[in-house]
Amino acid sequence: MGRLFGTDGIRGVVGETLTAELAYRVGQAITIVLTKQKGCSPTITIGKDTRISSDMLESALMAGICSMGGSVMPFGTIPTPAVAFLTVQEEADAGIVISASHNPFEHNGIKIFGSQGYKLSDEMEAAVEDIVLSGEPLQVMTHEKIGMRLHGMRQMKVDYIDHLLSTVDCDMRGLRVLVDCANGAASATAPDLFCRLPLHADFIFDKPDGVNINNGCGSTHMETLCKGVVDGKYELGIAFDGDADRCLLVDEKGNIIDGDKVLAVCGRAMRHRGSLNGDAIVATVMSNLGLHEFCRKGDYNLVCTDVGDRHVLEKMIECGYMIGGEQSGHTIFREFATTGDGELTALQFIQAYCEAGVPASELVACCAQYPQELINVPVSAAGGAKQHIMGDERLWEQVRRQEEALQGEGRILVRPSGTEALIRVMVEAKTIETAHNVAQTLADFIKTL
């Protein structure tokens, strides 16, 4: 992880750690790096979510880009994966997303995609960081060398929706769905997308006001959606996060369908269609044992990576695999996208559902879900604290003891957070009581180290 860029771009509370001045400098730095790489002035796309701070950060980024001679192609409020897709379509040199995903409104972030729609390489991130953190004054352009804002971008949203619609072909007539837009970026695209499908869709949390993004709604707060699906007798519920790169679903009984179940259902449908290369599903070490059992019984090749959609995508590209994702709802369909896409995931799940012809609760029953307990243990924010704890042999001896107590009917994962001063303890077991007791024992032990 870099000095500015975390596992998913630059993040912070706006006005505290993420300022307009920093955004301006980042705009300058990415333009300098791209100009050096390309040999001429670059074109950079920008999209944003609905946070009150997104307009300010967009303006600062655009000013920074133009001051160094770059041209800017702003898409306005639009999902993160749309920026990745449109950056490639428009043959731009990079795409910037202003969003903090599922975090509260006071947070925001800057994420950068390269010209091929993938997250910026570690090398380019390091080059941007070097310029931003150097503190050296940068020579801005003057006269005709100043960059410009490109106009006429309204068609871009339509192009993205057209692309999503092109990925499905099934009979959806009669289907009723309830869609939670998280008061985020999906509010700008999901109503237009679903109204063009032969189904009935109603929407909740689709009226962003700048501060209500992810507030009691979306893929991290699904209680209202679960109740709404049951009360309204919908066949499916669909929940996005703030920037719409995640999607979780709800079955007709009000039960949450997490990313592991999405991988199982969509992976099986892809195999039936002959598009599941290597019979492989890529997940992370956090995936539930239920997905492991599904793959073992169905003779699928389950490939697990470190946590993070970047690691999942890297493995997919390396091995030519076509579907991968995380329990949290980041699902990547590599045939159609270069990153996780919530709306694409919803469509792919709907297609699998319609092809199966059974209720959603029955469809996802193929992938059991072991009880899982996750405890985040705060540790010192001082440099090296997490590494010190993770390198302590006493911790791993305690983990081995607890694993023996599970007698092969569960698993334990202890890992440092990539973005916070936390050690995460995850335990799966046959009962929630066992999972909780083991996780708490390990969490208490970590506090003594």
Side-chain angles (χ1 to χ4, degrees), residues 133-190:
L133 298 176
S134 70
E136 297 176 359
L138 302 174
Q139 183 64 50
V140 299
M141 298 297 176
T142 62
H143 297 81
E144 74 281 356
K145 292 184 179 180
I146 294 173
M148 65 178 67
R149 168 180 172 154
L150 305 176
H151 295 271
M153 298 298 109
R154 290 184 180 179
Q155 179 62 32
M156 298 298 102
K157 184 173 79 168
V158 176
D159 289 348
Y160 172 63
I161 292 173
D162 287 344
H163 165 67
L164 293 177
L165 293 170
S166 74
T167 70
V168 290
D169 181 18
C170 62
D171 185 1
M172 303 178 188
R173 289 174 296 179
L175 179 62
R176 299 181 69 251
V177 300
L178 183 61
V179 182
D180 179 348
C181 294
N183 289 320
S187 304
T189 52

Tab-separated table of all heavy atoms in Angstrom, residues 133-190:
chain	number	residue	atom	x	y	z
A	133	LEU	N	3.531	14.416	-3.102
A	133	LEU	CA	4.142	14.547	-1.778
A	133	LEU	C	5.478	15.277	-1.785
A	133	LEU	O	6.011	15.593	-0.729
A	133	LEU	CB	4.326	13.153	-1.163
A	133	LEU	CG	3.036	12.361	-0.937
A	133	LEU	CD1	3.352	10.971	-0.419
A	133	LEU	CD2	2.104	13.086	0.026
A	134	SER	N	6.004	15.565	-2.962
A	134	SER	CA	7.299	16.243	-3.031
A	134	SER	C	7.231	17.653	-2.453
A	134	SER	O	8.228	18.177	-1.946
A	134	SER	CB	7.792	16.305	-4.480
A	134	SER	OG	6.997	17.210	-5.243
A	135	GLY	N	6.072	18.265	-2.565
A	135	GLY	CA	5.914	19.635	-2.081
A	135	GLY	C	6.524	20.678	-2.992
A	135	GLY	O	6.441	21.878	-2.714
A	136	GLU	N	7.133	20.235	-4.067
A	136	GLU	CA	7.779	21.172	-4.976
A	136	GLU	C	6.749	21.917	-5.817
A	136	GLU	O	5.752	21.330	-6.253
A	136	GLU	CB	8.740	20.428	-5.894
A	136	GLU	CG	9.886	19.738	-5.161
A	136	GLU	CD	10.752	18.923	-6.106
A	136	GLU	OE1	10.429	18.895	-7.314
A	136	GLU	OE2	11.727	18.301	-5.627
A	137	PRO	N	6.959	23.208	-6.074
A	137	PRO	CA	6.038	23.950	-6.949
A	137	PRO	C	6.100	23.378	-8.366
A	137	PRO	O	7.164	22.983	-8.850
A	137	PRO	CB	6.568	25.385	-6.893
A	137	PRO	CG	7.991	25.262	-6.457
A	137	PRO	CD	8.063	24.065	-5.569
A	138	LEU	N	4.956	23.322	-9.014
A	138	LEU	CA	4.871	22.765	-10.360
A	138	LEU	C	4.642	23.884	-11.372
A	138	LEU	O	3.830	24.792	-11.134
A	138	LEU	CB	3.730	21.737	-10.431
A	138	LEU	CG	3.845	20.563	-9.455
A	138	LEU	CD1	2.586	19.693	-9.515
A	138	LEU	CD2	5.091	19.733	-9.744
A	139	GLN	N	5.329	23.821	-12.475
A	139	GLN	CA	5.214	24.839	-13.514
A	139	GLN	C	3.953	24.612	-14.327
A	139	GLN	O	3.849	23.642	-15.075
A	139	GLN	CB	6.446	24.789	-14.434
A	139	GLN	CG	6.457	25.872	-15.503
A	139	GLN	CD	6.545	27.276	-14.911
A	139	GLN	OE1	7.404	27.543	-14.072
A	139	GLN	NE2	5.661	28.160	-15.327
A	140	VAL	N	2.971	25.489	-14.168
A	140	VAL	CA	1.701	25.316	-14.870
A	140	VAL	C	1.801	25.852	-16.294
A	140	VAL	O	2.692	26.635	-16.629
A	140	VAL	CB	0.557	26.031	-14.121
A	140	VAL	CG1	0.388	25.438	-12.725
A	140	VAL	CG2	0.788	27.527	-14.060
A	141	MET	N	0.856	25.417	-17.111
A	141	MET	CA	0.826	25.832	-18.507
A	141	MET	C	0.200	27.223	-18.644
A	141	MET	O	-0.581	27.654	-17.794
A	141	MET	CB	0.044	24.831	-19.341
A	141	MET	CG	0.643	23.433	-19.349
A	141	MET	SD	2.275	23.433	-20.103
A	141	MET	CE	2.753	21.726	-19.864
A	142	THR	N	0.526	27.892	-19.729
A	142	THR	CA	-0.076	29.195	-20.024
A	142	THR	C	-0.492	29.229	-21.495
A	142	THR	O	-0.218	28.308	-22.260
A	142	THR	CB	0.915	30.346	-19.767
A	142	THR	OG1	2.036	30.195	-20.645
A	142	THR	CG2	1.396	30.325	-18.322
A	143	HIS	N	-1.167	30.313	-21.867
A	143	HIS	CA	-1.566	30.546	-23.247
A	143	HIS	C	-2.340	29.346	-23.805
A	143	HIS	O	-3.197	28.793	-23.149
A	143	HIS	CB	-0.347	30.900	-24.112
A	143	HIS	CG	0.324	32.173	-23.683
A	143	HIS	ND1	1.220	32.220	-22.617
A	143	HIS	CD2	0.248	33.437	-24.167
A	143	HIS	CE1	1.638	33.464	-22.451
A	143	HIS	NE2	1.076	34.231	-23.386
A	144	GLU	N	-2.006	28.951	-25.007
A	144	GLU	CA	-2.779	27.901	-25.687
A	144	GLU	C	-2.504	26.504	-25.139
A	144	GLU	O	-3.190	25.538	-25.505
A	144	GLU	CB	-2.478	27.922	-27.192
A	144	GLU	CG	-1.102	27.349	-27.599
A	144	GLU	CD	0.035	28.322	-27.365
A	144	GLU	OE1	-0.232	29.475	-26.950
A	144	GLU	OE2	1.188	27.929	-27.607
A	145	LYS	N	-1.539	26.371	-24.233
A	145	LYS	CA	-1.197	25.048	-23.694
A	145	LYS	C	-2.085	24.630	-22.521
A	145	LYS	O	-2.020	23.497	-22.061
A	145	LYS	CB	0.275	25.024	-23.269
A	145	LYS	CG	1.244	25.109	-24.439
A	145	LYS	CD	2.681	24.978	-23.966
A	145	LYS	CE	3.644	25.041	-25.158
A	145	LYS	NZ	5.064	24.916	-24.696
A	146	ILE	N	-2.901	25.540	-22.028
A	146	ILE	CA	-3.831	25.198	-20.945
A	146	ILE	C	-4.861	24.195	-21.471
A	146	ILE	O	-5.351	24.315	-22.592
A	146	ILE	CB	-4.537	26.462	-20.418
A	146	ILE	CG1	-3.521	27.388	-19.756
A	146	ILE	CG2	-5.645	26.103	-19.426
A	146	ILE	CD1	-4.081	28.731	-19.362
A	147	GLY	N	-5.184	23.199	-20.642
A	147	GLY	CA	-6.161	22.193	-21.055
A	147	GLY	C	-7.579	22.716	-21.014
A	147	GLY	O	-7.843	23.821	-20.535
A	148	MET	N	-8.503	21.913	-21.518
A	148	MET	CA	-9.896	22.364	-21.587
A	148	MET	C	-10.857	21.275	-21.127
A	148	MET	O	-10.517	20.093	-21.085
A	148	MET	CB	-10.253	22.771	-23.016
A	148	MET	CG	-10.225	21.624	-24.018
A	148	MET	SD	-10.702	22.138	-25.687
A	148	MET	CE	-9.333	23.216	-26.106
A	149	ARG	N	-12.045	21.721	-20.768
A	149	ARG	CA	-13.141	20.813	-20.446
A	149	ARG	C	-13.876	20.489	-21.735
A	149	ARG	O	-14.282	21.386	-22.480
A	149	ARG	CB	-14.089	21.466	-19.438
A	149	ARG	CG	-15.388	20.704	-19.267
A	149	ARG	CD	-16.302	21.362	-18.261
A	149	ARG	NE	-17.603	20.710	-18.253
A	149	ARG	CZ	-18.430	20.692	-17.215
A	149	ARG	NH1	-18.066	21.287	-16.097
A	149	ARG	NH2	-19.592	20.098	-17.287
A	150	LEU	N	-14.069	19.190	-21.984
A	150	LEU	CA	-14.803	18.747	-23.169
A	150	LEU	C	-16.279	18.631	-22.825
A	150	LEU	O	-16.644	18.164	-21.741
A	150	LEU	CB	-14.253	17.398	-23.653
A	150	LEU	CG	-12.748	17.369	-23.939
A	150	LEU	CD1	-12.308	15.963	-24.310
A	150	LEU	CD2	-12.400	18.354	-25.045
A	151	HIS	N	-17.136	19.015	-23.731
A	151	HIS	CA	-18.578	19.013	-23.482
A	151	HIS	C	-19.275	17.929	-24.314
A	151	HIS	O	-18.642	17.189	-25.054
A	151	HIS	CB	-19.159	20.396	-23.798
A	151	HIS	CG	-18.654	21.469	-22.889
A	151	HIS	ND1	-19.255	21.790	-21.697
A	151	HIS	CD2	-17.563	22.287	-22.986
A	151	HIS	CE1	-18.586	22.760	-21.091
A	151	HIS	NE2	-17.565	23.082	-21.865
A	152	GLY	N	-20.593	17.863	-24.175
A	152	GLY	CA	-21.365	16.900	-24.948
A	152	GLY	C	-21.313	15.495	-24.396
A	152	GLY	O	-21.324	14.515	-25.139
A	153	MET	N	-21.256	15.367	-23.056
A	153	MET	CA	-21.084	14.060	-22.451
A	153	MET	C	-22.394	13.364	-22.084
A	153	MET	O	-22.383	12.272	-21.542
A	153	MET	CB	-20.228	14.188	-21.179
A	153	MET	CG	-18.812	14.707	-21.423
A	153	MET	SD	-17.842	13.621	-22.460
A	153	MET	CE	-17.747	14.616	-23.963
A	154	ARG	N	-23.534	13.966	-22.355
A	154	ARG	CA	-24.804	13.369	-21.928
A	154	ARG	C	-25.045	11.994	-22.537
A	154	ARG	O	-25.664	11.121	-21.937
A	154	ARG	CB	-25.969	14.303	-22.301
A	154	ARG	CG	-26.001	15.590	-21.477
A	154	ARG	CD	-27.223	16.425	-21.818
A	154	ARG	NE	-27.267	17.647	-21.028
A	154	ARG	CZ	-28.207	18.578	-21.134
A	154	ARG	NH1	-29.190	18.422	-22.016
A	154	ARG	NH2	-28.181	19.658	-20.386
A	155	GLN	N	-24.570	11.788	-23.739
A	155	GLN	CA	-24.772	10.515	-24.412
A	155	GLN	C	-24.032	9.383	-23.712
A	155	GLN	O	-24.392	8.213	-23.859
A	155	GLN	CB	-24.298	10.618	-25.866
A	155	GLN	CG	-24.432	9.339	-26.692
A	155	GLN	CD	-25.875	8.884	-26.832
A	155	GLN	OE1	-26.781	9.714	-26.866
A	155	GLN	NE2	-26.078	7.580	-26.912
A	156	MET	N	-23.042	9.709	-22.911
A	156	MET	CA	-22.205	8.681	-22.303
A	156	MET	C	-22.997	7.750	-21.396
A	156	MET	O	-22.791	6.540	-21.390
A	156	MET	CB	-21.062	9.317	-21.519
A	156	MET	CG	-20.089	10.156	-22.348
A	156	MET	SD	-19.221	9.224	-23.628
A	156	MET	CE	-20.151	9.735	-25.078
A	157	LYS	N	-23.910	8.304	-20.604
A	157	LYS	CA	-24.717	7.478	-19.708
A	157	LYS	C	-25.567	6.489	-20.506
A	157	LYS	O	-25.708	5.320	-20.133
A	157	LYS	CB	-25.620	8.352	-18.828
A	157	LYS	CG	-26.410	7.547	-17.800
A	157	LYS	CD	-27.160	8.449	-16.841
A	157	LYS	CE	-28.429	8.992	-17.468
A	157	LYS	NZ	-29.313	9.646	-16.467
A	158	VAL	N	-26.107	6.945	-21.614
A	158	VAL	CA	-26.904	6.071	-22.475
A	158	VAL	C	-26.038	4.954	-23.044
A	158	VAL	O	-26.465	3.786	-23.114
A	158	VAL	CB	-27.559	6.876	-23.613
A	158	VAL	CG1	-28.317	5.946	-24.565
A	158	VAL	CG2	-28.493	7.940	-23.042
A	159	ASP	N	-24.822	5.283	-23.436
A	159	ASP	CA	-23.910	4.257	-23.977
A	159	ASP	C	-23.635	3.180	-22.936
A	159	ASP	O	-23.575	1.989	-23.262
A	159	ASP	CB	-22.596	4.893	-24.422
A	159	ASP	CG	-22.739	5.748	-25.671
A	159	ASP	OD1	-23.800	5.671	-26.327
A	159	ASP	OD2	-21.794	6.492	-25.991
A	160	TYR	N	-23.447	3.600	-21.705
A	160	TYR	CA	-23.183	2.637	-20.635
A	160	TYR	C	-24.390	1.732	-20.407
A	160	TYR	O	-24.256	0.502	-20.292
A	160	TYR	CB	-22.818	3.383	-19.355
A	160	TYR	CG	-22.714	2.509	-18.131
A	160	TYR	CD1	-21.757	1.492	-18.055
A	160	TYR	CD2	-23.560	2.695	-17.052
A	160	TYR	CE1	-21.658	0.693	-16.931
A	160	TYR	CE2	-23.469	1.900	-15.914
A	160	TYR	CZ	-22.521	0.892	-15.858
A	160	TYR	OH	-22.423	0.106	-14.744
A	161	ILE	N	-25.580	2.315	-20.360
A	161	ILE	CA	-26.785	1.523	-20.159
A	161	ILE	C	-27.003	0.572	-21.335
A	161	ILE	O	-27.384	-0.598	-21.156
A	161	ILE	CB	-28.001	2.444	-19.935
A	161	ILE	CG1	-27.861	3.163	-18.583
A	161	ILE	CG2	-29.310	1.656	-19.988
A	161	ILE	CD1	-28.907	4.227	-18.334
A	162	ASP	N	-26.757	1.045	-22.547
A	162	ASP	CA	-26.863	0.170	-23.723
A	162	ASP	C	-25.939	-1.037	-23.585
A	162	ASP	O	-26.309	-2.174	-23.923
A	162	ASP	CB	-26.506	0.928	-25.002
A	162	ASP	CG	-27.585	1.912	-25.432
A	162	ASP	OD1	-28.727	1.806	-24.931
A	162	ASP	OD2	-27.273	2.796	-26.266
A	163	HIS	N	-24.735	-0.781	-23.091
A	163	HIS	CA	-23.774	-1.879	-22.898
A	163	HIS	C	-24.302	-2.892	-21.897
A	163	HIS	O	-24.244	-4.114	-22.135
A	163	HIS	CB	-22.438	-1.316	-22.426
A	163	HIS	CG	-21.511	-2.352	-21.876
A	163	HIS	ND1	-20.951	-3.337	-22.662
A	163	HIS	CD2	-21.062	-2.581	-20.602
A	163	HIS	CE1	-20.189	-4.121	-21.911
A	163	HIS	NE2	-20.243	-3.681	-20.664
A	164	LEU	N	-24.828	-2.413	-20.774
A	164	LEU	CA	-25.366	-3.333	-19.767
A	164	LEU	C	-26.492	-4.186	-20.345
A	164	LEU	O	-26.539	-5.405	-20.131
A	164	LEU	CB	-25.871	-2.547	-18.560
A	164	LEU	CG	-24.826	-1.808	-17.714
A	164	LEU	CD1	-25.518	-1.022	-16.606
A	164	LEU	CD2	-23.818	-2.782	-17.127
A	165	LEU	N	-27.385	-3.562	-21.075
A	165	LEU	CA	-28.520	-4.284	-21.650
A	165	LEU	C	-28.072	-5.339	-22.658
A	165	LEU	O	-28.725	-6.382	-22.816
A	165	LEU	CB	-29.484	-3.300	-22.311
A	165	LEU	CG	-30.211	-2.352	-21.348
A	165	LEU	CD1	-30.944	-1.268	-22.126
A	165	LEU	CD2	-31.185	-3.125	-20.468
A	166	SER	N	-26.948	-5.091	-23.323
A	166	SER	CA	-26.465	-6.035	-24.333
A	166	SER	C	-25.948	-7.330	-23.730
A	166	SER	O	-25.707	-8.301	-24.454
A	166	SER	CB	-25.359	-5.385	-25.174
A	166	SER	OG	-24.149	-5.286	-24.436
A	167	THR	N	-25.776	-7.371	-22.395
A	167	THR	CA	-25.181	-8.555	-21.756
A	167	THR	C	-26.202	-9.613	-21.360
A	167	THR	O	-25.816	-10.699	-20.915
A	167	THR	CB	-24.386	-8.155	-20.499
A	167	THR	OG1	-25.291	-7.733	-19.462
A	167	THR	CG2	-23.394	-7.048	-20.805
A	168	VAL	N	-27.492	-9.319	-21.507
A	168	VAL	CA	-28.518	-10.289	-21.098
A	168	VAL	C	-29.496	-10.533	-22.236
A	168	VAL	O	-29.768	-9.658	-23.059
A	168	VAL	CB	-29.288	-9.818	-19.849
A	168	VAL	CG1	-28.395	-9.855	-18.625
A	168	VAL	CG2	-29.857	-8.415	-20.030
A	169	ASP	N	-30.031	-11.752	-22.243
A	169	ASP	CA	-31.020	-12.141	-23.253
A	169	ASP	C	-31.863	-13.263	-22.671
A	169	ASP	O	-31.533	-14.443	-22.793
A	169	ASP	CB	-30.330	-12.598	-24.538
A	169	ASP	CG	-31.336	-12.985	-25.633
A	169	ASP	OD1	-32.512	-12.581	-25.505
A	169	ASP	OD2	-30.945	-13.695	-26.566
A	170	CYS	N	-32.935	-12.894	-21.981
A	170	CYS	CA	-33.827	-13.897	-21.389
A	170	CYS	C	-35.207	-13.273	-21.209
A	170	CYS	O	-35.377	-12.062	-21.334
A	170	CYS	CB	-33.287	-14.390	-20.043
A	170	CYS	SG	-33.167	-13.098	-18.785
A	171	ASP	N	-36.172	-14.107	-20.924
A	171	ASP	CA	-37.550	-13.653	-20.751
A	171	ASP	C	-37.761	-13.209	-19.308
A	171	ASP	O	-37.808	-14.022	-18.397
A	171	ASP	CB	-38.516	-14.788	-21.099
A	171	ASP	CG	-39.971	-14.336	-21.065
A	171	ASP	OD1	-40.218	-13.138	-20.797
A	171	ASP	OD2	-40.847	-15.181	-21.297
A	172	MET	N	-37.878	-11.883	-19.090
A	172	MET	CA	-38.056	-11.329	-17.744
A	172	MET	C	-39.496	-10.899	-17.486
A	172	MET	O	-39.786	-10.310	-16.436
A	172	MET	CB	-37.141	-10.120	-17.546
A	172	MET	CG	-35.681	-10.388	-17.763
A	172	MET	SD	-34.695	-8.870	-17.550
A	172	MET	CE	-33.082	-9.428	-18.108
A	173	ARG	N	-40.381	-11.180	-18.423
A	173	ARG	CA	-41.767	-10.710	-18.283
A	173	ARG	C	-42.406	-11.261	-17.011
A	173	ARG	O	-42.274	-12.435	-16.693
A	173	ARG	CB	-42.588	-11.126	-19.504
A	173	ARG	CG	-42.222	-10.366	-20.778
A	173	ARG	CD	-42.951	-10.912	-21.980
A	173	ARG	NE	-42.554	-12.293	-22.247
A	173	ARG	CZ	-43.054	-13.032	-23.236
A	173	ARG	NH1	-43.970	-12.519	-24.045
A	173	ARG	NH2	-42.638	-14.279	-23.408
A	174	GLY	N	-43.095	-10.384	-16.290
A	174	GLY	CA	-43.767	-10.776	-15.062
A	174	GLY	C	-42.918	-10.652	-13.813
A	174	GLY	O	-43.435	-10.709	-12.698
A	175	LEU	N	-41.624	-10.463	-13.965
A	175	LEU	CA	-40.737	-10.357	-12.813
A	175	LEU	C	-40.936	-9.012	-12.119
A	175	LEU	O	-41.002	-7.967	-12.764
A	175	LEU	CB	-39.282	-10.500	-13.263
A	175	LEU	CG	-38.212	-10.381	-12.171
A	175	LEU	CD1	-38.364	-11.489	-11.136
A	175	LEU	CD2	-36.818	-10.419	-12.794
A	176	ARG	N	-41.022	-9.047	-10.797
A	176	ARG	CA	-41.154	-7.833	-9.993
A	176	ARG	C	-39.955	-7.716	-9.068
A	176	ARG	O	-39.663	-8.632	-8.293
A	176	ARG	CB	-42.447	-7.838	-9.174
A	176	ARG	CG	-43.703	-7.898	-10.023
A	176	ARG	CD	-44.967	-7.876	-9.170
A	176	ARG	NE	-45.180	-6.590	-8.529
A	176	ARG	CZ	-45.045	-6.373	-7.228
A	176	ARG	NH1	-44.671	-7.357	-6.427
A	176	ARG	NH2	-45.265	-5.170	-6.710
A	177	VAL	N	-39.260	-6.577	-9.146
A	177	VAL	CA	-38.067	-6.366	-8.323
A	177	VAL	C	-38.165	-5.037	-7.599
A	177	VAL	O	-38.786	-4.082	-8.085
A	177	VAL	CB	-36.776	-6.405	-9.171
A	177	VAL	CG1	-36.626	-7.748	-9.865
A	177	VAL	CG2	-36.744	-5.270	-10.188
A	178	LEU	N	-37.529	-4.975	-6.428
A	178	LEU	CA	-37.436	-3.748	-5.646
A	178	LEU	C	-35.960	-3.378	-5.571
A	178	LEU	O	-35.124	-4.201	-5.187
A	178	LEU	CB	-38.006	-3.964	-4.241
A	178	LEU	CG	-38.033	-2.738	-3.317
A	178	LEU	CD1	-38.901	-1.619	-3.897
A	178	LEU	CD2	-38.528	-3.128	-1.915
A	179	VAL	N	-35.634	-2.147	-5.954
A	179	VAL	CA	-34.242	-1.740	-6.114
A	179	VAL	C	-33.895	-0.623	-5.132
A	179	VAL	O	-34.563	0.414	-5.082
A	179	VAL	CB	-33.973	-1.253	-7.559
A	179	VAL	CG1	-32.509	-0.885	-7.734
A	179	VAL	CG2	-34.391	-2.322	-8.570
A	180	ASP	N	-32.826	-0.841	-4.353
A	180	ASP	CA	-32.314	0.144	-3.403
A	180	ASP	C	-31.072	0.800	-4.017
A	180	ASP	O	-30.036	0.161	-4.190
A	180	ASP	CB	-31.962	-0.563	-2.093
A	180	ASP	CG	-31.392	0.363	-1.029
A	180	ASP	OD1	-31.042	1.509	-1.358
A	180	ASP	OD2	-31.275	-0.074	0.137
A	181	CYS	N	-31.168	2.090	-4.330
A	181	CYS	CA	-30.074	2.807	-4.996
A	181	CYS	C	-29.080	3.444	-4.022
A	181	CYS	O	-28.144	4.129	-4.460
A	181	CYS	CB	-30.641	3.883	-5.916
A	181	CYS	SG	-31.594	3.230	-7.312
A	182	ALA	N	-29.281	3.252	-2.721
A	182	ALA	CA	-28.358	3.747	-1.688
A	182	ALA	C	-28.217	5.268	-1.701
A	182	ALA	O	-27.268	5.808	-1.131
A	182	ALA	CB	-26.971	3.102	-1.837
A	183	ASN	N	-29.167	5.982	-2.331
A	183	ASN	CA	-29.049	7.433	-2.500
A	183	ASN	C	-27.697	7.803	-3.093
A	183	ASN	O	-27.114	8.848	-2.774
A	183	ASN	CB	-29.256	8.152	-1.162
A	183	ASN	CG	-30.695	8.098	-0.690
A	183	ASN	OD1	-31.622	8.238	-1.475
A	183	ASN	ND2	-30.884	7.859	0.607
A	184	GLY	N	-27.188	6.928	-3.953
A	184	GLY	CA	-25.866	7.112	-4.524
A	184	GLY	C	-25.892	7.174	-6.037
A	184	GLY	O	-26.898	7.561	-6.661
A	185	ALA	N	-24.789	6.758	-6.644
A	185	ALA	CA	-24.624	6.896	-8.092
A	185	ALA	C	-25.637	6.090	-8.893
A	185	ALA	O	-25.991	6.474	-10.011
A	185	ALA	CB	-23.203	6.488	-8.487
A	186	ALA	N	-26.108	4.979	-8.336
A	186	ALA	CA	-27.103	4.178	-9.052
A	186	ALA	C	-28.397	4.955	-9.283
A	186	ALA	O	-29.161	4.634	-10.204
A	186	ALA	CB	-27.398	2.891	-8.294
A	187	SER	N	-28.640	5.990	-8.463
A	187	SER	CA	-29.840	6.813	-8.655
A	187	SER	C	-29.848	7.477	-10.027
A	187	SER	O	-30.910	7.804	-10.559
A	187	SER	CB	-29.911	7.896	-7.570
A	187	SER	OG	-29.871	7.338	-6.274
A	188	ALA	N	-28.651	7.653	-10.614
A	188	ALA	CA	-28.540	8.333	-11.914
A	188	ALA	C	-28.700	7.381	-13.090
A	188	ALA	O	-28.898	7.843	-14.223
A	188	ALA	CB	-27.184	9.032	-12.018
A	189	THR	N	-28.616	6.067	-12.839
A	189	THR	CA	-28.654	5.120	-13.964
A	189	THR	C	-29.653	3.989	-13.796
A	189	THR	O	-30.247	3.547	-14.778
A	189	THR	CB	-27.260	4.493	-14.190
A	189	THR	OG1	-26.777	3.955	-12.953
A	189	THR	CG2	-26.269	5.527	-14.708
A	190	ALA	N	-29.843	3.487	-12.584
A	190	ALA	CA	-30.689	2.303	-12.386
A	190	ALA	C	-32.133	2.503	-12.863
A	190	ALA	O	-32.687	1.622	-13.521
A	190	ALA	CB	-30.654	1.862	-10.927
